[in-house]
Amino acid sequence: MSSWLINGGNRLNGTVHIHGAKNSALPILAATLLVPDYCEIDNCPALSDVDAAMDILRHLGCRVGRKEHTVSVDATVLSGADIPDTLMREMRSSIVFLGAMVARLGEAELSFPGGCELGPRPIDLHLSALRRMGLQIKEEGGRLRCRVERQMTGCPISLAFPSVGATENIILAAVTAKGTTTIFNAAKEPEIQDLCRFLNACGARIAGAGESTVVIEGVKQLTGCRHTVIPDRIETVTYAAAAAITGGSLLLKNIQVEPLQACVPILEEMGCQTTAWKKEWLVTAPPRLRRVRSVRTLPFPGFPTDAQALIMATACVAKGTSVFIETIFESRYKHVGELMRMGANIKAEGRVAVVEGVPQLSGAPVECTDLRGGAALVLAALAAQGTTEISQLQHIERGYEAFAEELQQVGADIKTVAR
Ligand code: EPZ
């Protein structure tokens, strides 16, 4: 296992090229199962979660390759309809393969996704929607055994919560279903829009992606296409927060600005200057950050839950008190304890966390608890006095490509040590 040793205090300055979005690449790779043809996915980030998705596709019989940031998938011939527990455990979001598997194969067997660091990860919305479309689902021994008599059948589906994963699973099950499916209260995240752009390029008939109501008209068959994954908006905010917390200035390239609309005002309230061009964003920090009055996480286009830990890290050294309300996940404050080990002053109770900014954090040995919580610890370490050792890096490697190298090239003092 390796750790990172970070000596804090360097202002970060320079340019970072943002990678493709993990949360877009994953459902798009699942969607290639629907296409009995060859697809090429460009700007696919090199992440352990993407590797896990590629392993699942191979296990199901697909021919899968990677050349730099292009992943190719040939799903012409499939040879399996089950995902073993070992592969399911590698990536919690592998539940998104269910919709595509039952649409293409008429059956699927996979494990109930375990809980994760963010608390229980229920899939009731996924299962009730797929049952409405005709899927028979038996839950036994932690495994889901699913089959559909003839073909998935399109129907109107209302989601009690605009779940990203449930919206994706319904779309994947509906694209080649018999008839039309209408999703009410669908998730509107940019990654859903990217998935639908890929599917429509393969011949699907999806309207309303990115809005609350999505209409999918079933088609007979899809054909292969070449698609470029959108930039990762959470990686973008991560590096913006790195500039903010270190008092530096970073030019972020290959980005999309529109999806950041809920994050820009937060960084500007904290005193950052931000300037955006078509695909670039310049973020410059003030000498000392000001507190952010309140950050409430919401479904898109609200403030993203995945950025909560990142902004919390910056609030730890801001002047004043910041309040966080996490409305999406029931326990997404696991990073609080580790930030407090570095001298942060945070009180978390249920879904609320109150952060009293301190003049300086101190380096300490800390452990990543989850993907974004781990990134928050890195941000805190970049600003802390002294050395921080960060372990359990596998959490970070799920969602950030070359994180240490990117930070080093803009001035961070970060070394990888074997432990
Ligand atoms: C996706 O997770 C993302 N993951 C998450 O990013 C992100 O935090 C989340 O959407 C919210 O934006 C991927 O895209 C791979 P949800 P997902 O279904 O689909 C509850 C990261 O850091 N819920 O929108 O699992 C659920 O418990 C990851 O990159 C049900 O109750 O999110 C949660 O409280 C972390 N029943 C809320 O809805 C269900 O059937 C949001 O979940 C499904 C969800």
Side-chain angles (χ1 to χ4, degrees), residues 22-81:
K22 165 177 84 79
N23 293 347
S24 180
L26 295 178
I28 286 173
L29 287 171
T32 61
L33 275 178
L34 290 167
V35 187
D37 199 349
Y38 177 82
C39 290
E40 281 200 351
I41 315 296
D42 293 318
N43 201 29
C44 222
L47 304 169
S48 55
D49 265 10
V50 172
D51 293 343
M54 292 166 66
D55 289 345
I56 290 172
L57 290 172
R58 288 190 186 100
H59 179 83
L60 296 172
C62 300
R63 295 217 321 271
V64 185
R66 174 191 274 278
K67 194 157 171 275
E68 293 175 2
H69 287 109
T70 297
V71 170
S72 57
V73 182
D74 185 338
T76 308
V77 178
L78 299 184
S79 59

Side-chain angles (χ1 to χ4, degrees), residues 22-24 26-27 49 91-93 95 116 118-127 161-168 187 189 191 233-234 298-300 304-306 327-330 332 351 370-372 398-399:
K22 165 177 84 79
N23 293 347
S24 180
L26 295 178
D49 265 10
M91 184 182 62
R92 207 219 61 86
S93 43
I95 190 67
C116 77
L118 310 183
R121 298 292 291 273
I123 55 169
D124 54 307
L125 299 174
H126 298 241
L127 301 187
F161 177 86
S163 154
V164 172
T167 302
E168 290 165 348
E189 271 69 5
E191 293 77 27
R233 60 195 168 103
I234 306 301
L298 290 167
F300 192 85
T305 174
D306 293 348
T327 73
I328 305 294
F329 286 102
E330 62 181 62
R332 196 163 196 174
R351 290 180 181 254
D370 57 272
L371 168 56
R372 308 302 173 182
R398 285 187 41 224

Side-chain angles (χ1 to χ4, degrees), residues 95-100 102-103 123-137 144 146-148 152-153 155 157 159 165-166 168-174:
I95 190 67
V96 79
F97 280 84
L98 175 56
V102 294
I123 55 169
D124 54 307
L125 299 174
H126 298 241
L127 301 187
S128 55
L130 295 175
R131 284 191 166 109
R132 272 179 64 83
M133 297 176 74
L135 189 64
Q136 295 159 26
I137 303 172
L144 294 168
C146 313
R147 56 176 296 100
V148 57
M152 298 299 276
T153 307
C155 63
I157 295 171
L159 286 175
E168 290 165 348
N169 246 333
I170 298 164
I171 289 170
L172 292 172

Side-chain angles (χ1 to χ4, degrees), residues 81-393:
D82 77 301
I83 303 179
D85 196 45
T86 46
L87 285 179
M88 280 297 286
R89 284 191 178 283
E90 274 182 42
M91 184 182 62
R92 207 219 61 86
S93 43
S94 26
I95 190 67
V96 79
F97 280 84
L98 175 56
M101 287 170 75
V102 294
R104 174 78 190 274
L105 298 163
E107 60 176 332
E109 183 181 323
L110 65 173
S111 322
F112 234 95
C116 77
E117 315 76 18
L118 310 183
R121 298 292 291 273
I123 55 169
D124 54 307
L125 299 174
H126 298 241
L127 301 187
S128 55
L130 295 175
R131 284 191 166 109
R132 272 179 64 83
M133 297 176 74
L135 189 64
Q136 295 159 26
I137 303 172
K138 285 202 185 69
E139 300 168 38
E140 53 199 29
R143 295 283 283 174
L144 294 168
R145 289 182 174 72
C146 313
R147 56 176 296 100
V148 57
E149 273 319 302
R150 274 177 301 286
Q151 188 183 6
M152 298 299 276
T153 307
C155 63
I157 295 171
S158 295
L159 286 175
F161 177 86
S163 154
V164 172
T167 302
E168 290 165 348
N169 246 333
I170 298 164
I171 289 170
L172 292 172
V175 161
T176 56
K178 183 160 155 291
T180 299
T181 301
T182 303
I183 309 173
F184 298 100
N185 196 27
K188 303 191 270 191
E189 271 69 5
E191 293 77 27
I192 304 261
Q193 299 175 56
D194 202 27
L195 169 65
C196 293
R197 265 193 294 276
F198 166 75
L199 287 165
N200 282 341
C202 292
R205 296 171 65 84
I206 307 170
E211 292 158 32
S212 288
T213 302
V214 179
V215 182
I216 306 107
E217 200 184 316
V219 296
K220 283 241 174 304
Q221 184 156 316
L222 300 177
T223 51
C225 80
R226 182 159 195 174
H227 178 82
T228 299
V229 172
I230 57 172
D232 193 315
R233 60 195 168 103
I234 306 301
E235 185 187 48
T236 305
V237 177
T238 305
Y239 286 108
I245 201 170
T246 59
S249 178
L250 290 178
L251 177 63
L252 307 178
K253 293 196 150 195
N254 308 342
I255 65 133
Q256 278 179 340
V257 180
E258 306 69 49
L260 301 169
Q261 288 319 320
C263 301
V264 172
I266 300 287
L267 288 164
E268 292 182 343
E269 183 183 346
M270 299 182 86
C272 294
Q273 300 273 326
T274 74
T275 314
W277 296 272
K278 191 157 171 29
K279 291 187 173 181
E280 296 181 353
W281 193 30
L282 176 65
V283 179
T284 303
R288 184 170 182 203
L289 291 169
R290 295 194 297 268
R291 62 91 181 259
V292 51
R293 197 175 308 281
S294 81
V295 176
R296 179 186 298 274
T297 65
L298 290 167
F300 192 85
F303 184 85
T305 174
D306 293 348
Q308 175 253 106
L310 312 171
I311 298 301
M312 183 179 287
T314 62
C316 288
V317 292
K319 188 172 179 337
T321 303
S322 306
V323 178
F324 292 80
I325 304 111
E326 172 56 60
T327 73
I328 305 294
F329 286 102
E330 62 181 62
S331 72
R332 196 163 196 174
Y333 287 135
K334 291 226 168 22
H335 47 281
V336 165
E338 297 302 301
L339 287 169
M340 289 172 72
R341 286 169 60 85
M342 298 175 72
N345 183 344
I346 307 172
K347 288 179 190 57
E349 181 80 32
R351 290 180 181 254
V352 178
V354 179
V355 181
E356 302 275 350
V358 296
Q360 186 137 59
L361 296 174
S362 314
V366 290
E367 284 188 7
C368 299
T369 52
D370 57 272
L371 168 56
R372 308 302 173 182
L377 297 178
V378 172
L379 297 178
L382 292 171
Q385 187 177 37
T387 303
T388 300
E389 176 163 359
I390 301 186
S391 56
Q392 303 303 319
L393 297 176

